[in-house]
Amino acid sequence: MSQVIVIAGTGDARQIIYELTRRGVSVTATVATGFGSRLLEGCPGLEVHQGRLDSRGLFELISASGARLLVDASHPYAGEVSLNAKDAAGKAGMPYLRFERERTEIDEENIVEADSFEEAADRAAGIAGN
């Protein structure tokens, strides 16, 4: 029986999940893809639900899991995921927490434009550092 459901999809979500499970909290993580599932392999006490969930699907997962808290640590631009999560948590009468990163200021002088993913990859390969 899960105490917490974490909507994953970021490195931050993995850190949240690892910390919760390290503290003995039962967690179910939702991920959209097999790649997301593989990133969470080896985390003890973790259940992973793979596949996209709409509001109804997430509500059903909440109901089946016995969770008492929903943590939305989805990608910052996954607006529909967050809307579905808020709706499902509200219908389930459970708390909804949204993890948000601090805003990053970007020096516009360091922005490099490209016309395609391929060109972007080529340009990035020629730049030292991150």
Side-chain angles (χ1 to χ4, degrees):
M1 203 178 249
S2 296
Q3 294 176 316
V4 177
I5 292 178
V6 177
I7 300 174
T10 64
D12 297 315
R14 286 192 304 277
Q15 290 177 353
I16 290 167
I17 290 165
Y18 290 138
E19 186 60 28
L20 287 170
T21 58
R22 186 185 73 75
R23 293 174 182 243
V25 176
S26 179
V27 176
T28 296
T30 68
V31 297
T33 65
F35 178 69
S37 291
R38 286 190 300 279
L39 290 174
L40 293 171
E41 286 178 355
C43 186
L46 174 66
E47 278 187 54
V48 177
H49 179 278
Q50 180 183 318
R52 299 185 193 286
L53 293 169
D54 59 11
S55 178
R56 180 178 178 196
L58 189 52
F59 175 78
E60 290 171 0
L61 180 63
I62 290 167
S63 299
S65 71
R68 299 184 312 191
L69 173 67
L70 179 62
V71 177
D72 180 357
S74 61
H75 192 278
Y77 299 110
E80 187 174 340
V81 172
S82 294
L83 290 175
N84 288 337
K86 286 178 193 175
D87 184 60
K91 287 178 181 172
M94 71 183 326
Y96 165 86
L97 296 177
R98 169 78 183 144
F99 173 82
E100 294 195 12
R101 300 176 185 149
E102 289 184 25
R103 184 176 178 92
T104 301
E105 296 298 326
I106 299 174
D107 179 4
E108 291 187 27
E109 290 180 20
N110 293 323
I111 294 176
V112 177
E113 293 186 21
D115 291 325
S116 67
F117 290 116
E118 293 79 13
E119 182 184 348
D122 288 342
R123 288 183 176 211
I127 300 172
N130 292 336

